Amino acid sequence: VQLVESGGGEVQPGGSLRLSCEASGYTSSNFCMGWFRQAPGKERKGIAALYTGSGITYYTDDVKGRFTLSQGNAKTTLILQMNNLKREDTGTYYCAAHEDRDVPCAADTPPLFASWGQGTQVTVSS
């Protein structure tokens, strides 16, 4: 299983960025994909997740209304559109995935996510 992230960069507060994550190696096209953020000196924290089979999404309160998940042409490509970015959104963003169908697809339990990407940096600064 491989997860490859792209996107990221530096933007001013209020700006937008788009992250993409391509998953490969899964035998099924139905699994949970999520985005996690690790701010400098802090623990990695989940922010959003999507179940590829249904497209159902989950967002934490701090990104709800600003960040939007979608799937690419390949259902196993996860796109995170980030609008109205704030300084506190700065960090390394990781894409992750798991196939456990016995739990809801949410980003609040990082240990459930068995596969992780290499991370991409997002910096929000004026």
Side-chain angles (χ1 to χ4, degrees), residues 45-112:
K45 176 187 171 188
I47 56 173
L50 177 147
Y51 189 69
T52 62
S54 63
I56 293 176
T57 55
Y58 161 94
Y59 301 94
T60 56
D61 289 341
D62 58 334
V63 304
K64 199 175 293 183
R66 300 188 297 122
F67 292 9
T68 304
L69 286 171
S70 62
Q71 293 171 274
N73 290 334
K75 294 294 186 183
T76 54
T77 296
L78 184 65
I79 297 166
L80 180 66
Q81 177 66 43
M82 304 185 292
N83 297 329
N84 191 22
L85 282 160
K86 304 176 181 181
R87 288 184 176 82
E88 52 264 41
D89 293 319
T90 293
T92 304
Y93 283 66
Y94 297 89
C95 175
H98 73 77
E99 293 184 276
D100 192 338
R101 300 185 185 186
D102 294 330
V103 297
C105 180
D108 55 359
T109 50
L112 283 177

Side-chain angles (χ1 to χ4, degrees), residues 14-30:
S16 298
L17 283 173
R18 177 181 166 116
L19 306 182
S20 182
C21 174
E22 293 186 30
S24 61
Y26 282 100
T27 56
S28 168
S29 59
N30 299 326

Side-chain angles (χ1 to χ4, degrees), residues 112-124:
L112 283 177
F113 288 78
S115 302
W116 292 81
Q118 78 283 0
T120 185
Q121 180 66 31
V122 170
T123 302
V124 185

